Amino acid sequence: MFSRKMIERALQNVYDPELGVNVVDLGLIYDIRVEEDGVEIDMTLTTRGCPLHDSIAAGVRNAVQALGIEDVKVNLVWEPAWTPERMTDRARQQLGY
Amino acid sequence: MGMPAGELISANAPDLRVPFRHIITAVIIFVLLTSLLFLGQGHIFSFYFRNPLALLATHATTLGWATMMIMGAAYQLVPVVLEVRLFSEKLAMSGYYLFTVGLVVLLAGFTWLHIPILVAGGTLVILGSYVFIYNLTRTLLLAPRWNVTATFLGAALFYFFLTITLGLILALNLQAGFIPSAVLRVVAVHAALGGMGWFTLAIMGVGYRLLPMFALVHRLPNLLAMPIFWLANLGIAGTAVALTAPGIAGAGVASLFVIALAAAVILFGVDVWRIVSRRQRARLGLTMRFSLAAVGYLVALAVGASVVLSTRLSFHGAATALPMGFAFLFLMGWVTAMIMGHLFKIVPFLVWLDRYSDKIGKQKVPLLREMVNERLGEWTFWLYNVGVIGAGISVLGGITTFRSLFLGVTAAASYLFAFNVLTVFRGPRQVTVREKG
């Protein structure tokens, strides 16, 4: 059984290729639910409709599957909308603040 | 549970070959253009009316470089921004071929001022442009909801249609001479519609979408965008009417419309500053730097035009030096610097999508900024702007020695830029190991 922490650590390897900050520190991951038969993740993106950002969501699923978990469900949610306030201090530091 | 990879990837963006072809063609023309400006400067900047090399340089810039780029970028951006599929990819490709073949013929026609070649090339360019306008208009009409970008682009497409149609009429007039008198006024309308209506509204519209995204600015209300849009349209349409029918609206009225246009430009400058000052990324990347420089050129030109009109400034050679200098700074400063900046982002973005979008999360993939040589980009930024500002001032002041030096610097910067952008297609220079959080 995988822990939420392990999933989160895997997601720290998925970077927004434009910002150079990982999805966890960016505050894109809203919820991780580890269940018997798989993992379900609620996440958002900084910009709706951008193909680059869409591929980040695919990257989240790839990263969790790489742990050996086959059933991964990624729900893209737009409410509440992402704002820069959701970033961690580390993300802010990486962006120069 | 489980979800196939494709489901998450945006399905709206067209085949990447559509933007790639436009971009590569445009960059090649840009390099040829700056070389032509350097080598043929003696002829190009001597006078502007029916000067073959000046016409060649202007249309290589406006059609081959700027319009080609905006078409490629719009085909990629509009479907993504409006969450709608491109009306027809097939039409996009056939439009590209018509436009490119027509452009080569048209530029040959300008070189020798050979009217039948000019008209043949112009007709093909116009057909290619109409295909683009039709394709994009149909795409805009399919959109479930419009936003600021779509509004600006819709108006820009309309002005593009008017500009090229008027261009063909001017080409036919070279032979038939049916425009009774003051053909220069019609040339001025053609330039105003193209420069402010097509390029400026299109770039502003795209800027309203991309600049906040690159600066990571969210939820900044677009309070000024629509007032700027209407003020600019009033200025463009009013200037065009005043120039076409000087009997109805005298020179004084035309100046008022130009000042309305200048006000729209200055407000846009304020808006861009508002975006930049609220950015969540401290470092200004190449795209933002070039964009800010571009807006600087536009605002400076707007202030300059207002001063010239309100003081009725006149000096020896003003009739040639002023329009030449303004046109140079407008096209190489505002339009080109903005395009260069955005290409530093758009090319890595498209190549990344093509090569790495299905590998993210499975293996180490590069960041966009690792795909261009940023240090070379910094050098290019300074060289290019020193070159353009120096050459612009030299053209305005008629200083030929310095003009030659600065146009040489501008050309050198364009080679560095083309090298940097085209080598992105070869793959990333290095993928740095990032510290895991």
Side-chain angles (χ1 to χ4, degrees), chain B residues 25 57 61 89 97 119 133 140 146 272 299 301 355 433 435:
Chain B
T25 312
T61 317
E89 274 185 34
Y97 288 118
V119 171
I133 293 168
L140 286 174
W146 273 43
V272 170
V299 171
L301 286 171
R355 303 222 179 119
V433 178
E435 193 189 325

Side-chain angles (χ1 to χ4, degrees), chain B residues 42-130:
Chain B
H43 277 291
I44 293 170
F45 294 104
S46 56
F47 60 103
Y48 62 88
F49 186 55
R50 290 189 182 171
N51 171 352
L53 274 190
L55 285 168
L56 170 68
T58 309
H59 291 85
T61 317
T62 52
L63 293 170
W65 162 236
T67 297
M68 181 76 82
M69 254 310 301
I70 296 175
M71 290 199 295
Y75 278 138
Q76 170 71 27
L77 185 81
V78 168
V80 168
V81 169
L82 294 180
E83 298 177 36
V84 63
R85 280 194 78 88
L86 180 65
F87 174 69
S88 165
E89 274 185 34
K90 242 184 212 165
L91 269 183
M93 287 317 292
S94 17
Y96 164 80
Y97 288 118
L98 269 175
F99 188 88
T100 307
V101 171
L103 184 72
V104 173
V105 178
L106 179 76
L107 295 183
F110 277 128
T111 311
W112 294 288
L113 215 55
H114 188 284
I115 315 286
I117 296 181
L118 203 59
V119 171
T123 307
L124 286 176
V125 164
I126 282 185
L127 287 177
S129 305
Y130 285 167

Side-chain angles (χ1 to χ4, degrees), chain B residues 243-316:
Chain B
L243 283 166
T244 317
I248 302 168
V253 181
S255 306
L256 279 181
F257 287 124
V258 174
I259 288 168
L261 204 46
V265 162
I266 292 165
L267 284 177
F268 178 70
V270 171
D271 234 3
V272 170
W273 189 250
R274 226 163 50 102
I275 293 169
V276 171
S277 60
R278 293 189 189 194
R279 70 188 190 278
Q280 296 290 320
R281 313 170 79 167
R283 195 173 153 274
L284 288 175
L286 287 171
T287 304
M288 288 305 277
R289 282 192 198 195
F290 268 101
S291 304
L292 287 177
V295 175
Y297 285 110
L298 185 67
V299 171
L301 286 171
V303 172
S306 308
V307 170
V308 169
L309 283 170
S310 52
T311 57
R312 295 177 185 267
L313 194 69
S314 88
F315 56 87
H316 178 68

Side-chain angles (χ1 to χ4, degrees), chain B residues 152-173:
Chain B
F152 274 78
L153 274 179
L157 282 179
F158 172 67
Y159 288 118
F160 181 40
F161 172 81
L162 292 181
T163 309
I164 50 172
T165 308
L166 200 52
L168 186 64
I169 293 172
L170 280 167
L172 291 169
N173 181 63

Side-chain angles (χ1 to χ4, degrees), chain A residues 64-78:
Chain A
V64 180
Q65 279 182 335
L67 295 173
I69 304 169
E70 267 191 35
D71 285 336
V72 183
K73 189 175 181 192
V74 178
N75 306 312
L76 269 185
V77 294
W78 302 106

Side-chain angles (χ1 to χ4, degrees), chain A residues 12 17-18 46 54 61-62 95, chain B residues 5 10 218 282 345 360 368 437:
Chain A
Q12 281 170 340
E18 210 264 312
T46 55
D54 283 0
R61 193 176 38 78
N62 290 339
L95 294 172
Chain B
S10 167
H218 276 247
K345 194 75 90 175
I360 179 170
L368 297 194

